[in-house]
C-alpha cells in the first residue's frame, strides 16, 4: 500500500492511501466520489486499516494516517484532546485534497474506538458526507482504573495490557497475535493521553449539529456494555442506523475488513 510522510511545521505525519503511488509532494488521487478517511483508536495507528483500505476503494479515494506520537508519525507527545485530533484530521484531509471548493462532496469518516470520537467531533463542527463508527462503545466508557493502570505502564511498573476478549475467538491464534502486535507499535505514554482525552470528550458530548448519515457498527462478539453504549449513542443521532458484523469483536477493522468495507461503501455511495 502506498505510504508517504506529510510535514506540518516540520512534524512528520505518516499517510497511507489507496490507488497509485504519487511523488512525496503530491497528494494521492482521490477520484470523484466522496473520499473516505479512516481514524484509528487509542494507542493504535493507521496500520490497523491496512486490510480495510483496499477493500473500500482499491483504485484510490481511501486514506488513513498516524496521529502524532502514534505508530510512525513524529513527536514524543500525543495530541491532548479529541478536538485537537479532529483539527489534525481536517488538516490531513485538506492536504490530500479531500476538502476543496472544487470537490462537490465532503469526506466520509470511518472511526474506530477513539477515532469514532474524533469523527463525531469533526461532524459536530464541519460538514461530512457520512460517518461509520465501529468500536465506539469502548471509547465512550473509559474508566478510572484503565487510566490508572496505563499510568503504571508508562512508569514501568506494569506490563502493557491486552484483553483477548477484544478479538473474536473465531479468528484463532493468528488474529490474536495480529491484534497484539498492533497494540505494541505505539508508546504507552500516547495511549495514556488518548484515554484521558477520550474520557474528557465523552463526558461533555453534545450530539447537536450531527445530522449526516451515520452507521454505528458493532462486532457480534463485542463486550455487551460497549454495545449498549454504542446503541445509546446511535439513538441520539437523527440519521443513524446500527449494524452487527459476525465473527468480530472490538478489532473489527482487522477481523472483518471486507464486511466493514461493504458498510462503508454503502454510506459513501449514498453521499
Amino acid at each position: 500500500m502506498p505510504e508517504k510522510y506529510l510535514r506540518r511545521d516540520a512534524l512528520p505525519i505518516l499517510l497511507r492511501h489507496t490507488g497509485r503511488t504519487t511523488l512525496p509532494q503530491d497528494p494521492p488521487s482521490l477520484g470523484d466520489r466522496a473520499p473516505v478517511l479512516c481514524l484509528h483508536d487509542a494507542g493504535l495507528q493507521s496500520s490497523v486499516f491496512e486490510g480495510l483500505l483496499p477493500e473500500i476503494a482499491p483504485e484510490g479515494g481511501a486514506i488513513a494516517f498516524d496521529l502524532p506520537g502514534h505508530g510512525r508519525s513524529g513527536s514524543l507527545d500525543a495530541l491532548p484532546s479529541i478536538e485537537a485530533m479532529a483539527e489534525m484530521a481536517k488538516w490531513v484531509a485538506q492536504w490530500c485534497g479531500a476538502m476543496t471548493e472544487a470537490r462537490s462532496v465532503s469526506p466520509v469518516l470511518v472511526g474506530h474506538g477513539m477515532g469514532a470520537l474524533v469523527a463525531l467531533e469533526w461532524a459536530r463542527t464541519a460538514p461530512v458526507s457520512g460517518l461509520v463508527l465501529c468500536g465506539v462503545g469502548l471509547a465512550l466508557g473509559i474508566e478510572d482504573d484503565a487510566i490508572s493502570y496505563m499510568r503504571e505502564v508508562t512508569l514501568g511498573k506494569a506490563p502493557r495490557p491486552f484483553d483477548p476478549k477484544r478479538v473474536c475467538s473465531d479468528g484463532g491464534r493468528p488474529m490474536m497475535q495480529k491484534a497484539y502486535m498492533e497494540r505494541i507499535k505505539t508508546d504507552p505514554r500516547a495511549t495514556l493521553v488518548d484515554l484521558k482525552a477520550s474520557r474528557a470528550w465523552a463526558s461533555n458530548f453534545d450530539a447537536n449539529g450531527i445530522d449526516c448519515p451515520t452507521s454505528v457498527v458493532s462486532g457480534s462478539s463485542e463486550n455487551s456494555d460497549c454495545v449498549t453504549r454504542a446503541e445509546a449513542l446511535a439513538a441520539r443521532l437523527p440519521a443513524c442506523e446500527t449494524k452487527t458484523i459476525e465473527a468480530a469483536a472490538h478489532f473489527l477493522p482487522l477481523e472483518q475488513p471486507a464486511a466493514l468495507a461493504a458498510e462503508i461503501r454503502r454510506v459513501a455511495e449514498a453521499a
Side-chain angles (χ1 to χ4, degrees):
M1 176 176 296
E3 301 176 356
K4 66 175 63 189
Y5 279 99
L6 320 182
R7 292 193 176 271
R8 187 180 193 189
D9 299 328
L11 176 67
I13 302 295
L14 179 75
L15 175 75
R16 290 180 166 92
H17 64 90
T18 57
R20 62 183 178 83
T21 301
T22 56
L23 293 173
Q25 70 274 12
D26 294 337
S29 175
L30 298 180
D32 298 325
R33 296 185 177 182
V36 176
L37 172 59
C38 296
L39 302 161
H40 65 74
D41 195 5
L44 294 178
Q45 52 286 317
S46 62
S47 57
V48 77
F49 301 122
E50 281 187 316
L52 177 65
L53 293 176
E55 292 281 355
I56 299 170
E59 301 304 317
I63 56 179
F65 72 99
D66 293 359
L67 283 164
H70 295 70
R72 288 163 50 198
S73 283
S75 183
L76 296 176
D77 300 314
L79 296 174
S81 67
I82 298 298
E83 291 83 356
M85 297 176 199
E87 192 277 332
M88 175 63 76
K90 291 176 188 176
W91 181 86
V92 170
Q94 288 171 339
W95 189 94
C96 291
M99 298 170 62
T100 65
E101 293 182 1
R103 182 171 288 279
S104 60
V105 288
S106 52
V108 171
L109 305 181
V110 178
H112 177 223
M114 180 186 74
L117 308 189
V118 177
L120 286 164
E121 174 62 22
W122 179 334
R124 194 180 65 81
T125 57
V128 298
S129 290
L131 298 172
V132 179
L133 312 175
C134 59
V136 64
L138 182 63
L140 290 170
I142 304 299
E143 299 179 350
D144 289 346
D145 287 349
I147 292 176
S148 296
Y149 186 88
M150 189 54 65
R151 186 176 293 110
E152 293 295 295
V153 175
T154 65
L155 296 173
K157 296 181 179 180
R160 289 190 187 225
F162 179 74
D163 184 356
K165 293 181 180 179
R166 293 188 187 178
V167 181
C168 179
S169 60
D170 290 1
R173 185 177 180 85
M175 183 55 66
M176 195 72 66
Q177 291 174 328
K178 190 173 183 180
Y180 175 78
M181 293 305 297
E182 289 295 330
R183 292 290 299 175
I184 63 173
K185 293 179 181 179
T186 287
D187 193 299
R189 290 173 295 180
T191 307
L192 176 60
V193 174
D194 292 344
L195 296 180
K196 291 179 178 179
S198 295
R199 186 174 65 173
W201 187 91
S203 65
N204 295 298
F205 172 55
D206 183 353
N208 289 336
I210 303 177
D211 56 4
C212 61
T214 302
S215 178
V216 172
V217 187
S218 299
S220 61
S221 297
E222 197 154 3
N223 175 279
S224 59
D225 289 339
C226 293
V227 173
T228 297
R229 286 191 290 269
E231 291 175 345
L233 168 68
R236 298 175 64 184
L237 302 174
C240 186
E241 299 180 16
T242 59
K243 183 177 179 63
T244 300
I245 291 179
E246 297 298 321
H250 179 73
F251 274 89
L252 213 163
L254 277 180
E255 297 174 279
Q256 296 296 336
L260 180 57
E263 181 65 6
I264 295 167
R265 289 195 303 271
R266 184 189 69 80
V267 173
E269 288 167 3

